[in-house]
Amino acid sequence: MIDADVVVVGSGNAALCAAIAAREAGADVLMLEKADEKLAGGNSKYTAGAMRFVYNDTRDLLPLLLDPDDPRLPDTDFGAYSADKFEQDLLGFNDGRPLSREQRALIDHSQDTLLWLAQHGIKFEPIYERQSFEKDGKHIFWGGLTLAARDEGVGLVEAELAAFLKMGGRIRYDSAMVDLITDGAAVCGVVVESPTGEQKEVRSNAVILGCGGFEANPRLRQKYIGDQWDMAKVRGTPHNTGEGIELALGLGAKQHGHFQGCHATPMDLHMKDYGNLEIPHLERKNYRKICYFLGVMVNANGQRFVDEGKDFRNYTYAQFGKAVLEQPGHFAWQIFDSKVDDLLYGEYRFHDAHFSESETLEGLIEQLDEIIDKAAVRRTLNEFNRAVDDGVPFDPTIKDGKGTKGLALSKSNWAQKIDTGPFKAYPVTGGITFTYGGLQVDDRGAVMRENDTPIDGLFACGELIGGVFFNGYPGGSGLTSGAVFGRRAGNGAGALAMT
Ligand SMILES: Cc1cc2nc3c(=O)[nH]c(=O)nc-3n(C[C@H](O)[C@H](O)[C@H](O)COP(=O)(O)OP(=O)(O)OC[C@H]3O[C@@H](n4cnc5c(N)ncnc54)[C@H](O)[C@@H]3O)c2cc1C
C-alpha cells in the first residue's frame, strides 16, 4: 500500500518545482518537510528571489513580469544575457575545468524554466534597487541579473506552494526524513521523524530528494570544506544538515562535484548563527554586507586581502565570504568614506547594522578595537589612497578601470581615495549560504551510483546536486538551478511513478 506516487523531501524552490512537475505528469505527490510551517521553504525563503537566466532583450522579459506596464520600463536598459555570457560566467569559476553537464543544462533550460514558472503564476519584477544604477536619465542594469520573484524568496515559495496545492498536491510539516526505504533494489519510501521523535514509514513509487546541502551541519562542514568552517555563520535555514546527501551516499550514490567548495558571503559579524525569518522579509538580506567594491576591506592585521574591485559584486560576493573567514579571527572591516555613502545598499542603513563612524580617518581607526595593528591599517589606507588613479572617472555602472597603481594587491575598479569624512567601518565575517558538492543525477534527475547506473526510484534536485558550481557562483544561479533540476526530477519521478 503506497501513501503517494511520488514523495518529495523538502519544500524549498527545488522541491516545489519538482512537486509541480510531478503533478503535471499526473502523479499523486506528497511533500515531507522537516521544518514547521513557518520555517518551511528552506533557504529559498531567505533569498532575494533573484534568478539568472538567458534573455536577448526586454521582449523576453515581458511574459515574466508582474507588471509589464511598469512606467520605468521605457527608460530602462536591461541589456542582454546570452547563453555564451552565462557559459563564460560559469567557466570563470571553474578553475580550468570544462563546462560540466549540469552547467550546460542550467544554461540551456534557464529561460524556458522561468517561462514555465510564469505559466504557473510565479511572476517577477526588475531588481532596480540592487542591479541597476541611474545614468543619463536611464536605469542601466549590470551583471546579467535583472529579475527577482515578486516579494523575493518568501513570495517565490508562497507562489510555488500555492500552485502546487491548487494542482491537488499535499504537504506535511514537522516530518524529517531520517532514512530511505528500499525493497532490496529500488527506493520505495522514506522514514520520517516528528519533532517528538515518533517515526513513521511513508511508502511511494519514487522519492525526490530536495532537502538542501550540508551548510547547517558544522560536523560535515568541517569534514568536507575545512577546519575553520565550524565557525561560519549560516545565512539561511538551520535545517539543511545534509541527510539527503548522506543517506543517498549510504545507498551507493556517487559523490559528485566540489565538496570543498561553498557559497559564502561577507555578513555582519554580530548576526546570529542562522538567518532570521522573524524580521520582515525585505530586511532579511540586510545582514549581508557586499558593497566592499565601493571601499576597502582590512583584516585584524590591518592588511587588505582581496581585490575588492575585481569584478561586479555579483561575481565576487560568493567567494569573498570564504576569504573573510580565512582571515585571523575570522573577520574583517569594510571601510568607506562619505563619497560613496549614497551608493551603499539599504543593508548598510539597516537598523541592526553594526558600524563605527568618525569625522576623521584617524578617529575611525582608533575605534577599531579588534584591529591588532593600528599602525598597519594606517599604512594600508595611506598607501591605498596614494595608489588611486585620479585620472580615470569613477562609474559604478561599468567596470570603470579606475584602479590602483603600484600596490602589491591592486583594486582593479571603482578605486576612489578614502579621504572625505565622515568615515564608516562595518565589521564582517564569512556566512555560508550553501554547499557545492553533492549527488550526480542523469537527464531524468535520477541519482547515479559509482558505476554510473541510476538508483531505481531515487531522484534529486537543488542544492544537493553536485557539479553545478565549483569555486564560485554568478549571483542568482542557485534558484535557477533549483528550478531547472527540480522540474527535471519531477518529470523523471512522475514518469516513473505513472508507468
Ligand atoms: C540569505 C540567502 C539569500 C540568497 N539569495 C539568493 C538569490 O537571490 N538568488 C539565488 O539564486 N539564490 C539565492 N540564495 C541561494 C538559494 O537559497 C539556494 O540556492 C536555493 O534556495 C536552494 O534551494 P533548495 O530548494 O535546494 O534548498 P532549500 O530552499 O534550502 O530547501 C531545502 C528544504 O529541505 C528541508 N529539509 C532539510 N533536511 C530535511 C530532511 N531531512 N527531511 C525533510 N526536509 C528536510 C529544509 O527544511 C528546507 O525546507 C540565497 C541563499 C540565502 C541563504
Side-chain angles (χ1 to χ4, degrees):
M1 174 75 177
I2 61 164
D3 298 282
D5 298 325
V6 174
V7 153
V8 180
V9 185
S11 69
N13 167 61
L16 280 161
C17 288
I20 291 170
R23 267 308 288 146
E24 268 181 343
D28 170 38
V29 182
L30 174 62
M31 298 187 85
L32 299 171
E33 167 57 49
K34 186 200 271 189
D36 59 16
E37 190 168 353
K38 223 162 146 193
L39 275 198
N43 275 344
S44 304
K45 226 182 205 171
Y46 294 77
T47 69
M51 294 180 77
R52 182 174 292 266
F53 60 97
V54 170
Y55 65 92
N56 290 319
D57 54 38
T58 310
R59 279 170 302 180
D60 285 346
L61 306 181
L62 292 177
L64 306 173
L65 292 181
L66 177 68
D67 181 7
D69 300 317
D70 186 328
R72 292 170 296 184
L73 291 181
D75 295 321
T76 302
D77 180 359
F78 289 108
Y81 193 60
S82 66
D84 281 351
K85 178 68 176 118
F86 203 167
E87 181 172 336
Q88 289 314 312
D89 284 348
L90 288 165
L91 284 173
F93 298 115
N94 276 11
D95 286 350
R97 294 175 184 87
L99 200 77
S100 69
R101 286 180 59 221
E102 294 80 9
Q103 291 176 323
R104 184 77 265 158
L106 170 63
I107 298 166
D108 290 348
H109 295 291
S110 60
Q111 191 182 8
D112 64 75
T113 301
L114 267 278
L115 277 168
W116 174 76
L117 282 173
Q119 281 153 13
H120 281 282
I122 293 93
K123 292 293 179 161
F124 298 86
E125 295 176 312
I127 318 169
Y128 282 105
E129 185 199 323
R130 293 186 313 279
Q131 289 296 144
S132 76
F133 286 113
E134 274 189 64
K135 188 173 163 186
D136 304 330
K138 265 198 167 299
H139 304 278
I140 315 276
F141 274 76
W142 51 272
L145 185 60
T146 49
L147 300 189
R150 175 177 47 136
D151 290 341
E152 307 199 326
V154 170
L156 176 71
V157 168
E158 279 176 1
E160 289 175 343
L161 181 61
F164 171 62
L165 296 177
K166 196 169 151 204
M167 295 167 84
R170 295 177 287 146
I171 182 164
R172 271 187 220 158
Y173 301 104
D174 292 320
S175 303
M177 173 186 66
V178 291
D179 210 351
L180 287 165
I181 305 171
T182 69
D183 61 9
V187 171
C188 56
V190 301
V191 178
V192 289
E193 188 174 282
S194 74
T196 55
E198 195 188 332
Q199 294 198 349
K200 217 177 355 216
E201 290 191 352
V202 182
R203 299 268 170 178
S204 61
N205 292 327
V207 171
I208 304 175
L209 301 174
C211 46
F214 55 87
E215 59 273 5
N217 184 327
R219 178 182 62 83
L220 292 184
R221 286 203 305 265
Q222 238 180 343
K223 173 176 169 184
Y224 289 118
I225 311 179
D227 272 346
Q228 74 269 30
W229 284 89
D230 59 330
M231 297 297 293
K233 306 267 186 184
V234 177
R235 295 182 59 208
T237 175
H239 289 300
N240 287 359
T241 43
E243 293 85 25
I245 293 173
E246 289 220 297
L247 289 172
L249 293 180
L251 284 187
K254 187 194 232 173
Q255 203 173 304
H256 187 55
H258 188 47
F259 270 73
Q260 296 78 29
C262 65
H263 181 302
T265 301
M267 299 294 285
D268 193 312
L269 178 64
H270 302 294
M271 74 170 270
K272 298 213 169 73
D273 286 344
Y274 297 95
N276 185 359
L277 273 181
E278 295 294 315
I279 55 177
H281 74 270
L282 290 174
E283 294 186 355
R284 208 161 297 137
K285 61 182 178 291
N286 288 340
Y287 296 112
R288 200 180 60 172
K289 297 285 174 285
I290 56 171
C291 283
Y292 46 78
F293 64 98
L294 296 169
V296 294
M297 287 201 280
V298 294
N299 65 17
N301 296 332
Q303 308 288 341
R304 288 175 57 241
F305 52 93
V306 290
D307 174 354
E308 300 89 344
K310 183 176 169 196
D311 206 333
F312 287 121
R313 59 109 181 127
N314 289 143
Y315 300 112
T316 56
Y317 81 113
Q319 291 73 256
F320 281 2
K322 180 172 191 279
V324 172
L325 202 70
E326 286 170 353
Q327 299 313 303
H330 314 298
F331 77 93
W333 287 95
Q334 294 180 353
I335 299 179
F336 306 100
D337 76 358
S338 64
K339 291 200 297 298
V340 296
D341 204 48
D342 285 352
L343 295 177
L344 296 177
Y345 301 146
E347 63 208 43
Y348 288 82
R349 282 176 277 282
F350 178 43
H351 71 87
D352 217 7
H354 294 85
F355 62 92
S356 300
E357 184 172 11
S358 174
E359 287 300 323
T360 65
L361 202 47
E362 188 52 37
L364 186 79
I365 293 169
E366 280 311 312
Q367 291 179 41
L368 307 184
D369 289 337
E370 291 86 346
I371 291 201
I372 305 158
D373 192 343
K374 298 236 161 96
V377 75
R378 245 174 242 124
R379 216 166 31 244
T380 298
L381 292 174
N382 287 337
E383 280 169 9
F384 177 83
N385 282 346
R386 276 199 300 274
V388 167
D389 184 352
D390 280 329
V392 180
F394 170 78
D395 184 349
T397 65
I398 53 168
K399 285 191 353 188
D400 62 6
K402 183 173 172 53
T404 54
K405 280 186 180 155
L407 290 182
L409 177 59
S410 315
K411 181 173 177 186
S412 304
N413 295 286
W414 314 298
Q416 298 194 95
K417 286 194 167 84
I418 299 176
D419 62 359
T420 310
F423 301 87
K424 286 184 182 161
Y426 293 78
V428 292
T429 186
I432 187 165
T433 319
F434 64 92
T435 45
Y436 290 159
L439 307 175
Q440 186 172 32
V441 290
D442 69 7
D443 290 346
R444 299 171 305 127
V447 175
M448 303 299 284
R449 289 195 186 82
E450 282 292 344
N451 65 5
D452 290 333
T453 59
I455 298 178
D456 285 342
L458 189 63
F459 296 79
C461 55
E463 282 180 1
L464 46 67
I465 300 297
V468 190
F469 308 115
F470 294 94
N471 266 330
Y473 166 96
S477 305
L479 289 173
T480 308
S481 166
V484 166
F485 291 103
R487 186 183 179 200
R488 172 187 278 196
N491 284 335
L496 176 80
M498 299 315 287
T499 49

XYZ file of all heavy atoms in Angstrom, residues 132-136 142 290-296 308-313 335-345 384 388-404 411-420:
475
model
N 20.748 47.918 -10.752
C 20.861 48.982 -11.750
C 21.358 50.256 -11.081
O 21.196 50.433 -9.870
C 19.504 49.239 -12.418
O 18.654 49.966 -11.564
N 22.009 51.078 -11.878
C 22.368 52.428 -11.440
C 21.761 53.383 -12.455
O 21.595 53.038 -13.627
C 23.890 52.618 -11.417
C 24.573 51.917 -10.272
C 25.434 50.856 -10.506
C 24.372 52.324 -8.961
C 26.074 50.205 -9.451
C 25.005 51.682 -7.901
C 25.862 50.625 -8.146
N 21.446 54.611 -12.015
C 20.887 55.596 -12.960
C 22.018 56.350 -13.644
O 22.976 56.772 -12.994
C 19.992 56.576 -12.217
C 18.570 56.046 -12.096
C 17.611 57.088 -11.567
O 17.403 58.107 -12.268
O 17.114 56.868 -10.455
N 21.885 56.493 -14.953
C 22.895 57.236 -15.709
C 22.178 57.913 -16.868
O 21.436 57.249 -17.607
C 23.948 56.259 -16.240
C 25.155 56.898 -16.869
C 26.152 55.791 -17.181
C 27.196 56.213 -18.140
N 28.057 55.102 -18.522
N 22.374 59.218 -17.022
C 21.753 59.997 -18.103
C 20.254 59.727 -18.203
O 19.706 59.514 -19.290
C 22.413 59.685 -19.458
C 23.912 59.922 -19.420
O 24.339 60.810 -18.644
O 24.649 59.212 -20.136
N 23.212 45.922 -14.779
C 24.571 45.403 -14.940
C 24.636 44.002 -14.323
O 23.798 43.637 -13.503
C 25.588 46.328 -14.245
C 25.217 46.645 -12.837
C 24.422 47.676 -12.415
C 25.557 45.911 -11.660
N 24.258 47.629 -11.049
C 24.950 46.560 -10.556
C 26.328 44.771 -11.420
C 25.076 46.093 -9.249
C 26.460 44.313 -10.110
C 25.842 44.987 -9.052
N 27.782 43.593 1.142
C 28.531 43.263 -0.080
C 28.871 44.487 -0.939
O 29.070 44.363 -2.135
C 27.785 42.204 -0.903
C 26.368 42.644 -1.233
C 27.773 40.873 -0.164
C 25.688 41.705 -2.219
N 28.965 45.660 -0.277
C 29.375 46.848 -1.046
C 30.867 47.131 -0.892
O 31.307 48.266 -1.092
C 28.561 48.064 -0.619
S 26.909 48.057 -1.299
N 31.631 46.098 -0.529
C 33.086 46.261 -0.373
C 33.719 46.868 -1.622
O 34.748 47.511 -1.558
C 33.734 44.899 -0.050
C 33.228 43.814 -0.945
C 33.688 43.684 -2.245
C 32.205 42.963 -0.528
C 33.173 42.734 -3.094
C 31.683 42.001 -1.374
C 32.175 41.893 -2.655
O 31.651 40.964 -3.506
N 33.077 46.694 -2.801
C 33.671 47.213 -4.034
C 33.729 48.742 -4.051
O 34.429 49.340 -4.852
C 32.920 46.691 -5.279
C 31.485 47.155 -5.372
C 31.132 48.241 -6.163
C 30.489 46.504 -4.671
C 29.815 48.670 -6.259
C 29.158 46.916 -4.756
C 28.825 48.004 -5.533
N 32.975 49.375 -3.127
C 32.988 50.843 -3.048
C 34.034 51.355 -2.048
O 34.224 52.561 -1.912
C 31.600 51.353 -2.632
C 30.482 51.065 -3.638
C 29.117 51.361 -3.033
C 30.683 51.895 -4.909
N 34.690 50.424 -1.317
C 35.689 50.839 -0.337
C 36.822 49.843 -0.296
O 37.257 49.351 -1.346
N 37.295 49.559 0.924
C 38.332 48.517 1.076
C 37.957 47.609 2.242
O 37.151 47.995 3.099
C 39.747 49.101 1.348
C 40.263 49.884 0.166
C 39.767 49.936 2.621
N 39.076 44.198 -4.031
C 37.649 44.484 -3.796
C 36.922 44.866 -5.081
O 35.700 44.725 -5.172
C 37.481 45.630 -2.778
C 38.083 45.378 -1.410
C 39.545 45.815 -1.304
O 40.179 46.028 -2.361
O 40.045 45.941 -0.175
N 37.666 45.379 -6.073
C 37.040 45.824 -7.323
C 37.355 44.902 -8.489
O 37.310 45.322 -9.643
N 37.616 43.649 -8.179
C 37.994 42.691 -9.236
C 36.917 42.594 -10.316
O 37.196 42.490 -11.505
C 38.199 41.329 -8.584
C 38.660 40.244 -9.483
C 38.916 38.994 -8.671
C 39.132 37.816 -9.605
N 39.011 36.553 -8.915
N 35.668 42.598 -9.901
C 34.572 42.433 -10.860
C 33.301 42.993 -10.202
O 33.318 43.358 -9.024
C 34.374 40.950 -11.184
C 33.752 40.736 -12.562
O 33.024 41.642 -13.021
O 33.987 39.680 -13.155
N 32.199 43.037 -10.979
C 30.917 43.389 -10.361
C 30.692 42.479 -9.168
O 31.051 41.296 -9.215
C 29.770 43.212 -11.359
C 29.736 44.264 -12.430
C 29.830 43.918 -13.759
C 29.606 45.604 -12.095
C 29.785 44.883 -14.753
C 29.560 46.579 -13.080
C 29.656 46.224 -14.407
N 30.034 42.978 -8.153
C 29.964 42.210 -6.919
C 29.186 40.895 -7.070
O 29.396 39.956 -6.322
C 29.421 43.053 -5.761
C 28.032 43.620 -5.995
C 27.002 42.958 -5.138
N 25.703 43.521 -5.415
C 24.638 42.793 -5.729
N 24.724 41.490 -5.844
N 23.486 43.384 -5.949
N 35.666 49.450 5.006
C 35.834 50.886 5.311
C 35.410 51.733 4.105
O 35.813 51.464 2.964
C 37.305 51.170 5.693
C 37.658 50.349 6.944
C 37.523 52.665 5.947
C 39.076 50.500 7.432
N 34.586 52.727 4.395
C 34.061 53.611 3.341
C 34.187 55.068 3.779
O 34.171 55.363 4.977
C 32.572 53.346 3.099
C 32.245 51.915 2.815
C 31.733 51.089 3.810
C 32.452 51.372 1.550
C 31.426 49.763 3.567
C 32.140 50.038 1.290
C 31.629 49.236 2.295
N 34.229 55.985 2.788
C 34.104 57.401 3.146
C 32.763 57.921 2.640
O 31.985 57.183 2.012
C 35.308 58.216 2.658
C 35.282 58.503 1.167
O 34.354 58.039 0.470
O 36.206 59.198 0.693
N 32.487 59.200 2.922
C 31.136 59.706 2.662
C 30.838 59.845 1.171
O 29.681 59.966 0.785
C 30.925 61.045 3.365
O 31.809 61.992 2.809
N 31.866 59.806 0.319
C 31.610 59.948 -1.124
C 30.718 58.821 -1.643
O 29.997 58.998 -2.612
C 32.935 59.938 -1.915
C 33.811 61.169 -1.688
C 34.826 61.348 -2.806
C 35.834 60.232 -2.933
N 36.693 60.062 -1.750
N 30.812 57.656 -1.005
C 30.030 56.518 -1.511
C 28.818 56.200 -0.633
O 28.108 55.230 -0.890
C 30.906 55.243 -1.666
C 31.978 55.451 -2.715
C 31.519 54.819 -0.338
N 28.609 57.035 0.387
C 27.544 56.714 1.345
C 26.194 56.487 0.649
O 25.466 55.549 0.971
C 27.436 57.832 2.387
C 26.823 57.314 3.665
O 27.269 56.251 4.139
O 25.863 57.938 4.154
N 25.868 57.334 -0.318
C 24.578 57.205 -1.019
C 24.500 55.938 -1.853
O 23.410 55.492 -2.205
C 24.369 58.382 -1.978
C 24.005 59.629 -1.208
O 23.772 59.515 0.006
O 23.983 60.709 -1.829
N 25.652 55.397 -2.218
C 25.649 54.215 -3.094
C 25.584 52.909 -2.310
O 25.332 51.848 -2.889
C 26.916 54.208 -3.972
C 27.038 55.350 -4.979
C 28.370 55.251 -5.713
C 25.894 55.316 -5.987
N 25.833 52.980 -0.992
C 25.765 51.751 -0.188
C 24.324 51.265 -0.176
O 23.397 52.067 -0.020
C 26.237 52.013 1.247
C 27.693 52.437 1.429
C 27.986 52.718 2.903
C 28.634 51.352 0.912
N 24.143 49.952 -0.325
C 22.781 49.415 -0.350
C 22.118 49.574 1.015
O 22.782 49.787 2.029
C 22.792 47.936 -0.713
C 23.421 47.644 -2.043
C 24.132 46.462 -2.243
C 23.302 48.526 -3.112
C 24.719 46.183 -3.465
C 23.881 48.254 -4.321
C 24.591 47.088 -4.497
O 25.171 46.815 -5.704
N 47.000 52.950 0.005
C 45.879 52.791 -0.922
C 45.522 54.144 -1.539
O 45.401 54.278 -2.755
C 44.669 52.194 -0.185
C 43.451 52.070 -1.049
C 43.298 50.981 -1.885
C 42.467 53.063 -1.055
C 42.180 50.875 -2.710
C 41.357 52.966 -1.880
C 41.214 51.862 -2.708
N 45.647 55.373 -5.756
C 44.433 55.537 -6.573
C 44.744 56.375 -7.818
O 45.402 57.416 -7.723
C 43.318 56.219 -5.746
C 42.181 56.699 -6.637
C 42.781 55.244 -4.692
N 44.263 55.907 -8.953
C 44.495 56.623 -10.211
C 43.435 57.717 -10.371
O 42.287 57.434 -10.728
C 44.405 55.618 -11.365
C 44.722 56.249 -12.697
O 44.864 57.491 -12.741
O 44.819 55.510 -13.692
N 43.822 58.958 -10.117
C 42.858 60.059 -10.171
C 42.464 60.426 -11.597
O 41.470 61.127 -11.802
C 43.449 61.308 -9.486
C 43.311 61.203 -7.974
O 42.337 60.570 -7.521
O 44.185 61.741 -7.266
N 43.212 59.937 -12.558
C 42.950 60.328 -13.941
C 41.747 59.636 -14.559
O 41.288 60.017 -15.630
N 41.220 58.617 -13.916
C 40.107 57.836 -14.500
C 38.829 58.160 -13.725
O 38.833 58.124 -12.492
C 40.407 56.319 -14.413
C 39.279 55.507 -15.012
C 41.737 55.991 -15.075
N 37.732 58.502 -14.437
C 36.499 58.824 -13.699
C 35.858 57.579 -13.062
O 35.944 56.480 -13.606
C 35.572 59.414 -14.765
C 36.140 58.989 -16.070
C 37.596 58.667 -15.884
N 35.207 57.796 -11.926
C 34.506 56.725 -11.193
C 33.138 56.512 -11.830
O 32.388 57.453 -12.060
C 34.359 57.167 -9.727
C 33.455 56.301 -8.897
C 33.904 55.079 -8.417
C 32.168 56.717 -8.573
C 33.077 54.272 -7.633
C 31.332 55.922 -7.794
C 31.797 54.696 -7.326
N 32.789 55.261 -12.148
C 31.479 54.958 -12.741
C 31.036 53.562 -12.318
O 31.513 52.558 -12.856
C 31.565 55.046 -14.272
C 30.199 54.840 -14.922
O 29.245 54.428 -14.214
O 30.082 55.083 -16.136
N 30.107 53.466 -11.339
C 29.721 52.145 -10.848
C 28.831 51.362 -11.807
O 28.536 50.196 -11.548
C 28.966 52.460 -9.551
C 28.414 53.821 -9.746
C 29.388 54.543 -10.633
N 28.392 51.977 -12.933
C 27.529 51.237 -13.865
C 28.353 50.334 -14.782
O 27.806 49.492 -15.491
C 26.678 52.173 -14.746
O 27.559 52.928 -15.593
C 25.831 53.114 -13.922
N 29.671 50.583 -14.837
C 30.546 49.745 -15.679
C 31.773 49.341 -14.865
O 32.014 49.901 -13.795
C 31.028 50.518 -16.938
C 31.671 51.855 -16.504
C 29.903 50.747 -17.915
C 32.421 52.552 -17.614
N 32.531 48.381 -15.382
C 33.847 48.123 -14.782
C 34.720 49.281 -15.257
O 35.188 49.289 -16.394
C 34.366 46.771 -15.242
C 33.641 45.669 -14.523
C 34.118 44.258 -14.611
C 35.142 43.746 -15.431
N 35.294 42.300 -15.459
N 34.892 50.300 -14.406
C 35.416 51.591 -14.884
C 36.935 51.631 -15.051
O 37.476 52.609 -15.549
C 34.937 52.726 -13.960
C 35.427 52.584 -12.529
O 36.228 51.677 -12.250
O 35.004 53.397 -11.679
N 37.629 50.584 -14.622
C 39.086 50.570 -14.767
C 39.771 51.599 -13.885
O 40.973 51.849 -14.029
N 39.015 52.215 -12.977
C 39.629 53.183 -12.060
C 40.289 52.374 -10.934
O 39.671 52.050 -9.919
C 38.556 54.123 -11.493
C 39.110 55.210 -10.600
C 38.009 56.187 -10.222
C 38.476 57.179 -9.173
N 39.723 57.883 -9.546
N 41.545 52.017 -11.173
C 42.227 51.109 -10.254
C 43.320 51.797 -9.465
O 43.473 53.014 -9.504
N 44.080 50.969 -8.756
C 45.250 51.479 -8.041
C 46.482 51.176 -8.876
O 46.475 50.253 -9.692
C 45.380 50.783 -6.679
O 45.384 49.372 -6.891
C 44.246 51.179 -5.750
N 43.421 47.199 -6.379
C 41.974 47.246 -6.516
C 41.758 47.642 -7.971
O 42.237 48.686 -8.411
C 41.366 48.255 -5.541
C 39.856 48.309 -5.643
C 39.190 49.164 -4.579
C 37.687 49.198 -4.846
N 36.967 50.116 -3.968
N 41.054 46.809 -8.741
C 41.049 46.972 -10.195
C 40.027 47.965 -10.721
O 40.212 48.536 -11.793
C 40.783 45.618 -10.867
O 41.707 44.676 -10.449
N 38.919 48.139 -10.030
C 37.870 49.065 -10.468
C 37.330 49.825 -9.255
O 37.475 49.368 -8.121
C 36.703 48.299 -11.100
C 37.101 47.592 -12.384
O 37.287 48.219 -13.414
N 37.269 46.286 -12.308
N 36.690 50.932 -9.535
C 35.966 51.720 -8.520
C 36.846 52.128 -7.327
O 36.365 52.275 -6.198
C 34.723 50.951 -8.028
C 33.935 50.366 -9.168
C 33.316 51.065 -10.166
C 33.721 48.978 -9.458
N 32.733 50.193 -11.053
C 32.960 48.908 -10.642
C 34.094 47.788 -8.826
C 32.570 47.705 -11.227
C 33.717 46.581 -9.397
C 32.963 46.547 -10.582
N 38.153 52.310 -7.595
C 39.069 52.710 -6.510
C 39.040 54.232 -6.382
O 39.500 54.950 -7.274
C 40.475 52.224 -6.811
N 38.452 54.718 -5.304
C 38.486 56.157 -5.003
C 39.238 56.328 -3.688
O 39.193 55.456 -2.816
C 37.076 56.693 -4.807
C 36.174 56.577 -6.016
C 34.933 57.433 -5.836
O 34.885 58.565 -6.296
N 33.933 56.892 -5.165
N 39.870 57.481 -3.529
C 40.554 57.757 -2.258
C 39.541 57.718 -1.120
O 38.397 58.181 -1.279
C 41.186 59.146 -2.299
C 42.421 59.236 -3.149
C 43.152 60.540 -2.856
C 44.534 60.548 -3.444
N 44.621 60.933 -4.852
N 39.964 57.199 0.019
C 39.114 57.209 1.212
C 39.584 58.420 2.013
O 40.507 58.339 2.818
C 39.263 55.876 1.969
C 38.817 54.754 1.036
C 38.439 55.870 3.257
C 38.982 53.374 1.578
N 38.962 59.580 1.703
C 39.540 60.826 2.226
C 38.503 61.860 2.672
O 38.853 62.969 3.051
C 40.457 61.457 1.166
C 39.695 61.836 -0.108
O 38.473 61.597 -0.189
O 40.327 62.366 -1.042
N 37.220 61.521 2.580
C 36.194 62.528 2.863
C 35.287 62.060 3.995
O 34.573 61.067 3.850
C 35.343 62.784 1.581
O 36.220 63.015 0.493
C 34.426 63.975 1.767
